[in-house]
């Protein structure tokens, strides 16, 4: 029997995107955002929603660029911190001891220590009452040598990203492998 | 050292949204979509991107409604199947043996056996070259009695959702709890 939980933003899993930008003063900044995901395969694009009140919001509008770094689970404290502190008040790279790297493709920094990054050029913005949806064209995905598998693909089990669960507010790691996409469902196709 | 993987739609994790719709003939249909996520807190909204070629795409445009059911990991075969078969050719509810329930809030069905569902009214559509981004206002989130925790919140560890990893194409479960959001990062705040 299903119970109502109301009109709320609860879905599982949500990602923990570490959004990298340069502010007006040219200072590298980063924030955590869980409202987002891939939104198009052509051009390859990712959406991330930020409130206008955030320091990062103005930076994306001004530079028309952002990065999304994926933190591995050993950086969960830093990932949480950059979601609660504001780049208006502090230098989050200095506080966390993380290193900003200037993207050579877009005017935004990414996190050197994190295993994976998407470099994005702002292509569209969509307004809702509270959030601006920033749609970025993914110009490149870069990842550390040691997170590629033997087929040259980026392996989630080596990246070890963080998931977020909105209603309970917990962070989680990635669990066991359940099956191969576009493959295990074929069982049902053959039967039908 | 980071290597380029190219302009690709790779990010971790992505969700496995089971999108429920009624087609022209009134037949309940569902498909799996990994391109999406929460996109606004006010109004509470979720985005999901579908190609115009999918059967579900026309259904959302016509009925201006959809649901997102979250499959638990024991249903990974069914979740994969509804991503590779088309509702034009088959009755996916019949093939999987799952039960469509008519939402009492929007003109779309959800999956009775899945632990959690978002009922959405289409509020905006955004076009990209290949995908339409459907933005739905979340009118309610419903979940099974047995996935609520003692505080009345929906517990990801009881829902046991499926994650998808694009580049390697694997499905995964949720792993260990890493920490509490808006809390563990305070350590760094106090220090700074």
């Amino acid at each position: 029997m299903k119970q109502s939980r109301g009109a709320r933003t609860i879905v599982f899993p949500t990602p923990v995107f570490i959004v990298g930008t340069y502010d007006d003063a040219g200072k590298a900044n980063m924030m955590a955002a869980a409202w987002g995901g891939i939104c198009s395969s052509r051009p390859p694009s990712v959406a991330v929603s930020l409130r206008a009140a955030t320091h990062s919001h103005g930076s994306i509008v001004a530079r028309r660029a952002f990065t999304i770094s994926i933190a591995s689970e050993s950086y969960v404290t830093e990932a949480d911190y950059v979601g609660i502190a504001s780049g208006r008040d502090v230098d989050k790279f200095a506080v966390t001891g993380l290193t900003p790297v200037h993207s050579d493709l877009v005017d935004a920094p990414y996190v050197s220590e994190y295993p994976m990054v998407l470099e994005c050029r702002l292509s569209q913005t969509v307004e809702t009452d509270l959030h601006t949806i920033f749609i970025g064209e993914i110009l490149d995905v870069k990842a550390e040598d040691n997170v590629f598998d033997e087929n040259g693909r980026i392996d989630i089990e080596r990246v070890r990203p963080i998931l977020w669960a909105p209603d309970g507010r917990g962070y989680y790691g990635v669990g066991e492998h359940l099956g191969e996409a576009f493959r295990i469902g074929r069982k049902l196709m053959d039967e039908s």
Side-chain angles (χ1 to χ4, degrees), chain A residues 40 61 63 72 79 81 113 129 173:
Chain A
S40 176
V61 170
R63 306 268 178 151
S72 44
Y81 167 74
E113 289 81 357
D129 277 5

Side-chain angles (χ1 to χ4, degrees), chain A residues 14-188:
Chain A
T14 76
V16 179
F17 288 161
I18 306 299
V19 180
T21 52
Y22 288 115
D23 72 7
D24 284 356
K27 186 180 74 175
N29 186 28
M30 56 180 158
M31 72 171 283
W35 292 173
I38 298 289
C39 66
S40 176
S41 298
R42 194 179 67 221
S45 304
V46 63
V48 63
S49 294
L50 303 185
R51 287 174 298 115
T54 62
H55 194 50
S56 303
H57 186 286
S59 303
I60 296 178
V61 170
R63 306 268 178 151
R64 300 194 64 78
F66 60 94
T67 65
I68 292 178
S69 297
I70 302 295
S72 44
E73 58 185 40
S74 57
Y75 288 102
V76 65
T77 301
E78 289 82 356
D80 190 52
Y81 167 74
V82 303
I84 55 185
S86 172
R88 254 187 220 99
D89 310 319
V90 291
D91 180 334
K92 299 188 202 176
F93 279 97
V95 171
T96 55
L98 295 168
T99 314
V101 178
H102 195 302
S103 163
D104 51 12
L105 296 174
V106 299
D107 191 14
Y110 60 85
V111 184
S112 174
E113 289 81 357
Y114 290 177
M116 179 177 167
V117 61
L118 283 63
E119 295 161 280
C120 305
R121 175 170 56 198
L122 181 64
S123 56
Q124 286 193 67
T125 61
V126 179
E127 298 296 336
T128 75
D129 277 5
L130 190 61
H131 284 84
T132 301
I133 306 171
F134 290 111
I135 300 176
E137 182 179 346
I138 303 165
L139 301 187
D140 196 20
V141 178
K142 289 184 172 65
E144 288 293 320
D145 296 329
N146 62 5
V147 300
F148 284 83
D149 69 15
E150 34 306 329
N151 301 312
R153 292 181 177 160
I154 304 174
D155 182 353
I156 191 173
E157 296 187 61
R158 300 180 205 197
V159 170
R160 307 203 65 72
I162 302 164
L163 338 172
W164 188 53
D167 209 23
R169 296 191 161 181
Y171 293 118
Y172 291 85
V174 172
E176 61 170 342
H177 184 258
L178 302 174
E180 213 54 42
F182 314 126
R183 191 155 176 179
I184 55 164
R186 290 191 182 274
K187 275 182 257 182
L188 288 167

